[in-house]
Amino acid sequence: MLSVVLFLVSSLIAFAALRPVAQRHRRLPPAIRTGAAALVGRRAMVLERIANDEGIGCVKIDGGEVWTARSYDDDEVIDAGERVEVVEIRGATALVMH
């Protein structure tokens, strides 16, 4: 009986001590994406026609960096001047789609 009481008391003390820490952790903002992962979902302007079968294509992401680009859909050809969305980054290549 004594061990059950000690267990309950120590559990309540541990819960009371750890609860504020857990609440602070829940209020943290979501992780901020950095590097290439931060580019996913951004808009881009096609600078050079994108054609996967020819191995050509270039985009300017959010008016800043210029990236080699390929269409996410292998059969799609995207002409220069069109707006696209970055779907994925593979190495130094942005995969984009309308």
Side-chain angles (χ1 to χ4, degrees), residues 8-97:
L8 289 175
V9 169
S10 63
S11 295
L12 287 174
I13 290 171
F15 180 73
L18 294 176
R19 188 167 189 263
V21 174
Q23 286 179 329
R24 277 194 309 269
H25 185 71
R26 284 186 56 190
R27 286 190 219 120
L28 290 175
I32 297 172
R33 294 186 303 169
T34 59
L39 299 175
V40 174
R42 297 262 178 105
R43 301 291 293 166
M45 175 66 72
V46 178
L47 299 178
E48 177 185 356
R49 185 172 70 93
I50 299 172
N52 291 8
D53 58 340
E54 297 173 31
I56 59 171
C58 188
V59 295
K60 187 176 219 178
I61 300 175
D62 275 344
E65 299 177 344
V66 175
W67 282 70
T68 300
R70 298 292 177 263
S71 174
Y72 190 72
D73 177 12
D74 283 333
D75 299 326
E76 185 178 22
V77 174
I78 305 171
D79 292 321
E82 293 192 43
R83 304 282 286 160
V84 292
E85 181 179 338
V86 178
V87 178
E88 184 180 341
I89 300 290
R90 283 192 197 148
T93 302
L95 297 177
V96 299
M97 65 185 306

